[in-house]
Amino acid sequence: MRSIKLLTEPSAGVVDRWYVSDGATAVGPVGIELIARGLEAGKVPLGSYVRHEAWKVWRPLSELAVISVDSAAPTPPYHPRPAETIPGGGCDDITQPGRPVFPDEVMPQDVLAGASDLDDALLLLFNAAVVRTGADAGLVHVVRPDGAVVLYAHGPFSRDMVGERTSLVDPALAAAAEGNTVVAEPAPGPAGQAVRDRLLSLGVACDAAWMVPVLASGRLAAAIELGRKAPRLRASELAVVEALVDALSYRADHDAW
């Protein structure tokens, strides 16, 4: 049995409203004690991200939790479940046991729940895309006024890649600016090879690699590059990522990010 102590506790005058995301589903707003109970019950993965309603960024939940484990007691199995909205804008009790989440049951708009701006939404989208495709490596290039920069990375050398700049005339980003998705298999062209080379810089030689553009108000806002060692990308997996991107583009247009 494990005991969870969260370093952040409800305070007088502070609204106890939090969002938590496991990379596939965002849940909230909920109280911090409910999140702690979900952690203890094994229903909320420790690798999740958490954000208070007033925060501008998400933080790893592991940064807010101190865990003690009773080695003599068995650890309960983890059975993730999708978020379910109830009347009044809240969510169901995430400590209750449930069945596994299946691909068709996660709605793209649910993944982005709680995002406060475009960078926030890109992190949630990226986490979900990595989880849903089993990607071994990935990059999020966000377009700034002075060019494209790596905002988020996934892979052995991810820390080294964050902050790296990429020219907008790079073959993959040039394709993204035209709204084109790039799949670097079976034989990559210049754009596909550029994606593979960057993923290799993360420390992963990817047989399957692809890039999906993120458009906001008709202009390129970001590009998501993902890859894995094997097997090849399935059309259904690409469709999941594109559905997530479509949901983000819709939010970006309507929330004026």
Side-chain angles (χ1 to χ4, degrees):
M1 176 184 241
R2 62 180 179 176
S3 175
I4 308 291
K5 170 66 175 177
L6 288 181
L7 303 180
T8 299
E9 297 183 349
S11 303
V14 178
V15 177
D16 186 26
R17 292 166 62 88
W18 299 78
Y19 294 88
V20 61
S21 172
D22 64 359
T25 307
V27 178
V30 297
I32 195 70
E33 291 183 359
L34 186 62
I35 295 176
R37 295 205 306 272
L39 279 167
E40 289 183 341
K43 304 303 184 290
V44 175
L46 186 58
S48 301
Y49 286 81
V50 67
R51 181 175 73 82
H52 185 267
E53 189 174 62
W55 293 358
K56 295 296 184 182
V57 298
W58 290 78
R59 292 178 61 186
L61 188 52
S62 58
E63 293 183 1
L64 306 181
V66 175
I67 304 175
S68 57
V69 179
D70 180 1
S71 58
T75 301
Y78 166 55
H79 299 290
R81 65 180 310 191
E84 297 174 6
T85 303
I86 61 174
C91 68
D92 65 329
D93 187 346
I94 57 178
T95 67
Q96 294 178 357
R99 55 185 172 75
V101 176
F102 295 100
D104 293 339
E105 295 176 331
V106 176
M107 301 300 290
Q109 58 268 29
D110 291 340
V111 171
L112 305 177
S116 61
D117 56 24
L118 179 61
D119 288 358
D120 222 7
L122 284 169
L123 175 59
L124 292 173
L125 185 155
F126 188 46
N127 288 341
V130 167
V131 169
R132 301 304 295 278
T133 62
D136 297 304
L139 295 166
V140 177
H141 303 268
V142 63
V143 177
R144 304 298 193 198
D146 57 345
V149 61
V150 174
L151 185 62
Y152 305 116
H154 168 65
F157 303 136
S158 57
R159 290 175 181 262
D160 297 333
M161 289 296 291
V162 172
E164 285 291 310
R165 295 189 174 276
T166 305
S167 171
L168 292 178
V169 298
D170 172 271
L173 291 186
E178 297 294 327
N180 297 319
T181 294
V182 172
V183 178
E185 55 181 277
Q193 191 60 53
V195 174
R196 279 191 174 180
D197 290 344
R198 273 190 290 274
L199 297 179
L200 185 60
S201 297
L202 282 164
V204 182
C206 297
D207 288 337
W210 62 100
M211 181 280 297
V212 179
V214 179
L215 304 179
S217 301
R219 301 181 63 180
L220 182 66
I224 313 293
E225 294 179 336
L226 296 165
R228 65 184 179 215
K229 299 172 185 177
R232 288 184 174 181
L233 176 69
R234 296 191 296 269
S236 59
E237 294 173 319
L238 181 59
V240 166
V241 178
E242 290 180 331
L244 290 167
V245 169
D246 287 345
L248 188 150
S249 297
Y250 179 86
R251 282 284 304 275
D253 291 344
H254 287 77
D255 293 347
W257 286 339

